[in-house]
Amino acid sequence: LIQVGANVGDFAPMSRTAGRSDGGCTDLGSTVAADLLRSPNVRGLLVEASPSNYKQLQQNLQSSGLSKRHSAVNAAVCTAPKEMTFYSVADDFADKYPDAPFYARSEINSFNRQHVLAVLGFIMGKDRLRAESFVIETPVLCYDPHKLLHTSDLKPASIDVLIVDAEGMDAEIVLAFLSIPTFRPRAIVAEIDKTVRRLRMRLNTTLLDAG
């Protein structure tokens, strides 16, 4: 299994609910990943771009006893290998807005600065003009799927499940994986509702052509 946008690890029961003002609700991709990663016959590669989330992800892998079967990498996935600017929410946002949903603190990280600002602005309401002060920039290493698999010593044909949660970039990343001829997973879980229509149509056509 490959999970792009693994966050802090939804497989860890405590991390799914502790401190969450949304009651521990999570999305489909995280739920599927959590169930699979806890299964003893699954090996996973967890990819997380945010340095702070990655640090917590590693700790959760250790404390959950899953680090022997799953590995994590602090990188992003793009259509071409390069260094990019990653936008995330500053740590002090949680202190200033303790009633904000949990996802606002760690789950809206993105290469799309406007996406992060839009979600923060919606949550902050009348304070939305201050959203910009809580967005921080971090340079991150970005792998294309070929390099990600190669550096992790994985064969494309060995991947059964691909899960992507990349805050608006899901379709592009899935398409990049599907461009590898031998990459044909049994299941793909991705959020494409925020993707532009052109990419959604291209992804649908690609999936149909791939059977």
Side-chain angles (χ1 to χ4, degrees):
L1 178 150
I2 292 181
Q3 185 182 16
V4 178
N7 202 261
V8 299
D10 278 283
F11 52 80
M14 287 187 65
S15 74
R16 299 178 78 182
T17 56
R20 296 187 72 137
S21 57
D22 55 5
C25 296
T26 187
D27 58 42
L28 177 62
S30 296
T31 302
V32 172
D35 291 339
L36 285 174
L37 291 170
R38 286 195 296 266
S39 299
N41 62 333
V42 173
R43 290 191 305 120
L45 175 64
L46 310 183
V47 185
E48 175 54 42
S50 165
S52 58
N53 284 350
Y54 174 73
K55 183 178 179 180
Q56 186 63 54
L57 174 62
Q58 285 188 307
Q59 293 174 359
N60 287 342
L61 277 172
Q62 290 289 340
S63 62
S64 298
L66 297 175
S67 58
K68 291 183 180 180
R69 287 194 288 111
H70 308 314
S71 58
V73 58
N74 186 196
V77 178
C78 307
T79 54
K82 54 190 169 182
E83 185 176 273
M84 291 184 65
T85 301
F86 190 68
Y87 302 97
S88 55
V89 180
D91 291 339
D92 62 346
F93 176 78
D95 298 326
K96 302 279 180 58
Y97 296 89
D99 295 328
F102 180 84
Y103 68 80
R105 307 175 208 173
S106 65
E107 297 179 10
I108 60 172
N109 306 317
S110 177
F111 288 119
N112 187 333
R113 185 171 182 271
Q114 287 306 123
H115 173 79
V116 178
L117 282 172
V119 177
L120 274 185
F122 174 77
I123 292 166
M124 294 170 68
K126 63 182 183 192
D127 291 342
R128 64 174 56 90
L129 294 178
R130 296 185 58 216
E132 196 164 329
S133 64
F134 293 104
V135 177
I136 57 176
E137 302 180 6
T138 307
V140 299
L141 189 62
C142 203
Y143 291 161
D144 65 12
H146 283 279
K147 185 169 183 178
L148 176 70
L149 293 170
H150 179 73
T151 56
S152 303
D153 199 25
L154 293 173
K155 302 293 185 185
S158 70
I159 308 303
D160 293 309
V161 180
L162 172 66
I163 297 175
V164 180
D165 185 358
E167 298 300 327
M169 296 185 66
D170 298 48
E172 295 161 81
I173 291 173
V174 173
L175 282 166
F177 272 101
L178 291 173
S179 69
I180 303 173
T182 55
F183 182 81
R184 289 296 180 266
R186 299 184 183 189
I188 297 173
V189 182
E191 295 182 347
I192 61 169
D193 57 314
K194 299 169 188 171
T195 305
V196 295
R197 184 171 180 272
R198 171 181 54 81
L199 281 174
R200 286 202 305 271
M201 292 178 66
R202 183 181 161 201
L203 177 57
N204 286 338
T205 301
T206 302
L207 289 171
L208 286 169
D209 290 345

